[in-house]
Amino acid sequence: MATLKNIIPILMLFFPVATYSQKDVWTVPPEKAAKVNPLEIKPKNLTVGKNIFSRNCVACHGAKADGQGLIQSASFLTDTFQKQTDGAIFHKMVTGRNKMPPFGSVLKDDEVWSVINYLRVLVNPSVLPPPKDIRIELAASEETHSLTAFLTTADSVRVPLGEVDVHYYIKRDFGLMRFGEISNYTSEKGKVTVSFPDGIIGDDQGNVTVLARIENDFLYKNNESAVVLRWGSLLVTEDAKFNERTLWGSRSKSPVWLLILANGILAGVWGVILYILYNLFRIKKAGKIFIK
Amino acid sequence: MDFNEQNKSRRKFLRNLGLAAPAVIAGSGVILEGCSSPEGGSGAKVKVLTADHKLVEVEVAGIAANKESADKSYLTKRGRKGLEGKKFVLVVDLGKCKNARKCMDKCQAVHQLRPDQHHLNVLLMKDSEHTSPYFMPKHCQHCDNPPCVKVCPVDATFKRSDGIVLIDNERCIGCRFCIAACPYTARSFNWYEPIDAEKYKDVPYDIEKNVPQKKGTVTKCTFSADCLREDKLPYCVSACPNGVYYFGNLYENAVTNGTTGETVSLSDLLAENSAYRLMEDLGTAPSVYYLPPKNRALIPDIENDNSKKI
């Protein structure tokens, strides 16, 4: 009886803990939750937010931010998440808990705020104006081996667009290889220049397709511009080496010594047989003469 | 006379032509009509799923065999020659493999393999007592100096100029010399009737996909040569959820990750991660590179058996 009395409180201790950890309430101190987001929702910080999100968050929270990443995690699309203040989300991102790592040491404050802005826009794109059409002009400079993208609005006025991140790519067989800085923001005149990397291999004439693309699908429609340049080195194949006579080569490419050896053995064996047959024939013929 | 005769016959010809023309037009009209609504439309309809997954209703009489699919002889002919200007490489990042086995599932499904047959196998490796275990996906290494091709007595297995080692099941006599010669155990044998043998009985053999499988022949990884022809990544590479595989063209010095789609410089990737190839000392010159199992997200626990059985 005494033991049972001892056990029950212990059991009772465990049950609330177990249910509590499953329910998982993450309380944020009110003064932290009241913190105000200093960043406006602007193309530049949305791009920063998106880049950080795809680098640090996608693995667990999923590409759609629905919590269906490699581990079961919080969905950012639910009301429970979105009804929190920016300050509360900021606190959770910076401090972390359980499997959620504290990003305070990795990201700057502004970067955390821009991720929050990105998450807000993800659920509620209507806070932004509808995506605009833009025009990219890609110009190559032969002397400096550099490329300049010129961004304007698509209408006839052609207002230059500043502070837009332009991604540069080189077209490869199975995908686009990025070059330039992590982010290349356009100047106030709507221009951004990057230098073409060394050692890029083109086709058999050295042609390389270069692409400039805006990957900010919130404010601008995905727009890209491509240009073919003869800046790559020539594609060198190893076909000559492949066509050499080797042991693994198919019939027409077998090594000469192998052909001589194999055919020599064949000729030798058949030669002996034929020689014996010939001699037998001669013996038979000689026998006939002898009998006569 | 002669001229008159010629003139007459020409006239005769024109007259005949005049008579024939309306007849031809009328005749073709009848034929065309026959095409558009055969038998005057019997009314019997059937639901059909189109190639782009739309359900449409068509008349039974209007259905004809797809002419495109009739001749499949190209499937066996196209595989012998490599794709020009390409030499394929695979890079396996061992640090990222978590034994999800999606690559294996996809491979076995595509190549119609039994569960015990592998073109690609994820192995649990433990090199010595005190070293940490890790998962290692192992494909055919598509060697540049392939021992398996050397021993084939019937020219069934061969190497293409784009680096891919393929096998032609229509030539294979099942001697299994290649299985014995391969130091990577990359090949497997069809000891039994393949799965769904009945279903694929009349399907023409596709050398680049190595299907349908045939009892008594050897089967091996093809680097998904059928995908590469269409500039797509191999089945296993695009099926991986963890970003383990990079695949690309050695001549272009670029490889693309199958999960993230990110394309990086091959030489940089190999140099930065101190890549290695399997059994380099044999001189087989594989086309598959491994990045050491570093910075791992999952360390397999052999004692407690948290990981799946191999």
Side-chain angles (χ1 to χ4, degrees), chain A residues 70 171-178 199 201-202 235-239 241-242 247-251 253, chain B residues 85-86 88 98 144-146 149-150 155 159-161 228 232-233 242 249 251-252 254 256 263-265:
Chain A
L70 290 175
K171 204 161 179 281
R172 302 278 80 167
D173 276 354
F174 298 102
L176 299 171
M177 185 159 76
R178 226 182 129 185
I201 297 162
L235 186 103
V236 184
T237 63
E238 290 166 9
D239 283 357
K241 203 170 137 199
F242 176 80
L247 264 181
W248 51 265
S250 48
R251 229 173 331 180
K253 290 192 297 172
Chain B
K86 303 200 176 180
F88 297 108
K98 295 175 190 162
D144 285 349
N145 186 15
V149 177
K150 284 179 194 167
D155 205 12
K159 188 173 175 68
R160 311 200 312 191
S161 63
L228 301 177
K232 282 187 202 149
L233 289 169
N242 295 327
N249 185 354
Y251 293 153
E252 261 192 352
T256 304
T263 304
V264 294
S265 157

Side-chain angles (χ1 to χ4, degrees), chain B residues 117-148:
Chain B
Q117 292 178 308
H118 302 289
H119 283 185
L120 143 69
N121 198 357
V122 183
L123 305 170
L124 179 58
M125 303 295 285
K126 188 165 165 61
D127 299 335
S128 67
E129 194 191 341
H130 298 297
T131 57
S132 163
Y134 59 93
F135 294 111
M136 187 180 87
K138 190 204 63 187
H139 298 68
C140 165
Q141 306 289 306
H142 294 275
C143 309
D144 285 349
N145 186 15
C148 52

Side-chain angles (χ1 to χ4, degrees), chain A residues 1 7 35 39 41 49 55 59 64 66 96 101 123-124 134 144 155 158 180 191 195 227 239 241 256 258-259 270:
Chain A
M1 223 28 208
I7 287 167
K35 219 171 171 183
L39 283 187
I41 295 180
R55 207 167 49 235
K64 292 175 190 160
D66 52 1
V123 182
N124 189 14
I134 50 169
T144 53
D155 52 21
R158 307 209 62 192
K191 288 191 179 181
S195 55
V227 61
D239 283 357
K241 203 170 137 199
V256 178
L258 186 69
L259 287 174
W270 277 107

Side-chain angles (χ1 to χ4, degrees), chain A residues 75-263:
Chain A
S75 165
F76 299 145
L77 310 176
T78 54
D79 278 354
T80 36
F81 179 84
Q82 291 288 340
K83 275 183 182 159
Q84 302 176 89
T85 60
D86 281 6
I89 302 172
F90 182 88
H91 177 78
K92 288 182 179 181
M93 275 182 74
V94 169
T95 53
R97 193 186 62 153
N98 299 345
K99 280 184 180 168
M100 166 82 183
F103 280 101
S105 52
V106 188
L107 303 173
K108 290 180 205 141
D109 280 7
D110 271 5
E111 290 176 324
V112 178
W113 288 124
S114 49
V115 173
I116 295 169
N117 278 352
Y118 172 72
L119 294 177
R120 296 289 190 208
V121 169
L122 206 60
V123 182
N124 189 14
S126 60
V127 298
L128 292 171
K132 277 186 282 187
D133 243 345
I134 50 169
R135 194 190 289 178
I136 310 178
E137 273 169 27
L138 197 57
S141 153
E142 284 290 340
E143 305 115 59
T144 53
H145 258 222
S146 62
L147 291 135
T148 305
F150 178 42
L151 261 69
T152 58
T153 50
D155 52 21
S156 53
V157 188
R158 307 209 62 192
V159 185
L161 295 166
E163 291 211 329
V164 181
D165 189 12
V166 182
H167 290 191
Y168 290 88
Y169 295 98
I170 295 167
K171 204 161 179 281
R172 302 278 80 167
D173 276 354
F174 298 102
L176 299 171
M177 185 159 76
R178 226 182 129 185
F179 69 100
E181 304 300 317
I182 292 173
S183 36
N184 312 287
Y185 290 104
T186 51
S187 66
E188 282 172 17
K189 288 176 184 166
K191 288 191 179 181
V192 60
T193 304
V194 293
S195 55
F196 188 78
D198 293 329
I200 296 298
I201 297 162
D203 62 4
D204 48 5
Q205 282 166 9
N207 289 329
V208 182
T209 308
V210 178
L211 242 108
R213 191 193 269 176
I214 311 298
E215 289 184 341
N216 188 336
D217 44 343
F218 292 106
L219 296 179
Y220 307 113
K221 279 184 192 157
N222 260 347
N223 210 333
E224 61 181 42
S225 167
V227 61
V228 178
L229 303 166
R230 202 174 260 200
W231 287 356
S233 47
L234 304 185
L235 186 103
V236 184
T237 63
E238 290 166 9
D239 283 357
K241 203 170 137 199
F242 176 80
N243 288 325
E244 276 173 16
R245 289 182 175 272
T246 50
L247 264 181
W248 51 265
S250 48
R251 229 173 331 180
S252 57
K253 290 192 297 172
S254 38
V256 178
W257 63 263
L258 186 69
L259 287 174
I260 293 171
L261 194 74
N263 289 318

Side-chain angles (χ1 to χ4, degrees), chain A residues 33-52:
Chain A
K35 219 171 171 183
V36 181
N37 186 346
L39 283 187
E40 271 180 72
I41 295 180
K42 271 179 139 184
K44 187 166 180 172
N45 61 50
L46 274 180
T47 317
V48 171
K50 191 180 179 181
N51 289 344
I52 294 169

Side-chain angles (χ1 to χ4, degrees), chain B residues 198-210:
Chain B
E198 271 299 303
K199 195 167 139 196
Y200 300 114
K201 202 173 56 186
D202 300 323
V203 176
Y205 176 63
D206 182 349
I207 194 167
E208 292 196 331
K209 216 169 171 185
N210 200 22

